[in-house]
Amino acid sequence: MPSLMDKNVIVLGASRGLGAMIARRAAAQGARTLAVARRRHGLDELARSAGDVDVLELDASDESAPEKVFSDRVPSLLVVCGGARPHAAAIHEMTWEQFSANWENDVKTSFLFCKAALSKPLAPGSVVVLVSSGAALGGSPVSGGYAGAKRMQMLIANYCQKESDRLGLGIRFLAVAPATIMPGTEFGKHAVEGYAEYLGMSVADFVKSMKSPQSPEDVVAAVFELAAHPNAWEGSVFKVSSDGIARV
C-alpha cells in the first residue's frame, strides 16, 4: 500500500484522540475515509474540520457492526482504535462489570472485525491495524482488565495473521502498542489522574516521574508506516516509543 490515494480506509473509534488523528491523516492523503464511533458530537466535529471524511455513528462492539460498516465500503486499511475508558481503582474495589469493560468493548470489537476481515475476506494486500497499549506488556494494576484486554488484541492480530497465511488470503494483521501513557491526550490524562491518586501523589509529580513518552503523532506515524510497508516489518506486534518502532 505505497499510497492511500483513492483507497478505502475505515477507522473505528475515530471521534477523538488517536482515532480522530488517524482519520484526519488518511483523508489528507487522499483516502476515501470512513470514521466510525459511538460519539456523534466528536464525529460531527471531525467531519467539519477534516474535510473529506464520511462518518458513521455506531457501536463497533455490536454483533452486527462489521456487516454495517463493510456494507458502506470494503477497506484497504482498517484501523481498530478507541474502546472503553477503564475504571481507575484497585482490583478489590471493582465490580466485575468495571473490571471487564475493555474485554466487552476493545476485545469484542477487535474479534468481530478481524473475524469479518477473514470471513469476507478482505482483498489481498489489505491491512488491519489494532491499536493496543503498552499496558499489555507491563501491566496496569489500577485499570482492572485493561492490560489483559490489550494483550488479547495483540494475540488476536497474531492468530489472524496465522489464519491469513494458512488460507493464503494475503491480508496483513498488526497490533501497535504505545509504550507509555501520553498525558496530553484525554485518555492519558484519565490514566495519569488515576495513578496519581492511587499512589498518593500529585499529577504533576507523577508526570515528572515518567519516562519521556512517545507523542500521539509518533503513534499515528507508526500506524501509517506499518500500513504502508507491512511486509517490511516481520511479526505482528509492535511497540511505539520515543525511540521509534520495535517488534515485540
Side-chain angles (χ1 to χ4, degrees), residues 33-84:
T33 305
L34 176 64
V36 181
R38 297 184 186 92
R39 295 170 49 162
R40 186 77 217 182
H41 174 74
L43 289 174
D44 289 343
E45 174 59 29
L46 178 65
R48 283 193 297 269
S49 61
D52 193 16
V53 175
D54 297 320
V55 299
L56 176 62
E57 182 182 3
L58 181 70
D59 180 353
S61 67
D62 186 87
E63 295 280 348
S64 63
E67 181 180 356
K68 291 177 181 177
V69 171
F70 289 168
S71 68
D72 184 288
R73 68 197 68 189
V74 179
S76 296
L77 171 62
L78 170 65
V79 182
V80 180
C81 196

Side-chain angles (χ1 to χ4, degrees), residues 179-194:
T180 60
I181 299 170
M182 293 176 284
T185 65
E186 182 181 338
F187 190 91
K189 182 174 181 290
H190 170 73
V192 164
E193 290 173 348

Side-chain angles (χ1 to χ4, degrees), residues 84-98:
R85 178 181 292 183
H87 183 72
I91 187 169
H92 65 288
E93 297 171 346
M94 291 187 179
T95 65
W96 172 249
E97 183 178 12
Q98 291 168 335

Side-chain angles (χ1 to χ4, degrees), residues 129-143:
V129 179
L130 308 181
V131 180
S132 180
S133 168
L137 304 173
S140 181
V142 297
S143 59

Side-chain angles (χ1 to χ4, degrees), residues 31-228:
R32 294 188 290 262
T33 305
L34 176 64
V36 181
R38 297 184 186 92
R39 295 170 49 162
R40 186 77 217 182
H41 174 74
L43 289 174
D44 289 343
E45 174 59 29
L46 178 65
R48 283 193 297 269
S49 61
D52 193 16
V53 175
D54 297 320
V55 299
L56 176 62
E57 182 182 3
L58 181 70
D59 180 353
S61 67
D62 186 87
E63 295 280 348
S64 63
E67 181 180 356
K68 291 177 181 177
V69 171
F70 289 168
S71 68
D72 184 288
R73 68 197 68 189
V74 179
S76 296
L77 171 62
L78 170 65
V79 182
V80 180
C81 196
R85 178 181 292 183
H87 183 72
I91 187 169
H92 65 288
E93 297 171 346
M94 291 187 179
T95 65
W96 172 249
E97 183 178 12
Q98 291 168 335
F99 182 90
S100 63
N102 295 101
W103 285 85
E104 294 293 344
N105 286 271
D106 309 36
V107 175
K108 187 178 180 184
T109 297
S110 298
F111 167 77
L112 291 173
F113 276 86
C114 287
K115 177 180 177 179
L118 289 169
S119 301
K120 191 171 182 61
L122 299 186
S126 300
V127 180
V128 179
V129 179
L130 308 181
V131 180
S132 180
S133 168
L137 304 173
S140 181
V142 297
S143 59
Y146 176 74
K150 304 318 272 188
R151 182 69 177 180
M152 191 68 238
Q153 286 183 301
M154 295 179 176
L155 292 171
I156 287 173
N158 180 268
Y159 296 166
C160 289
Q161 188 61 61
K162 285 181 167 59
E163 283 303 296
S164 176
D165 294 343
R166 184 177 70 87
L167 298 171
L169 299 179
I171 306 170
R172 192 75 164 92
F173 291 88
L174 306 165
V176 176
T180 60
I181 299 170
M182 293 176 284
T185 65
E186 182 181 338
F187 190 91
K189 182 174 181 290
H190 170 73
V192 164
E193 290 173 348
Y195 267 104
E197 182 178 357
Y198 177 74
L199 296 171
M201 59 195 303
S202 70
V203 169
D205 286 342
F206 180 81
V207 172
K208 286 180 184 178
S209 73
M210 292 173 55
K211 179 184 176 183
S212 177
Q214 70 290 323
S215 69
E217 290 77 13
D218 291 334
V219 180
V220 173
V223 168
F224 283 91
E225 165 61 24
L226 291 164

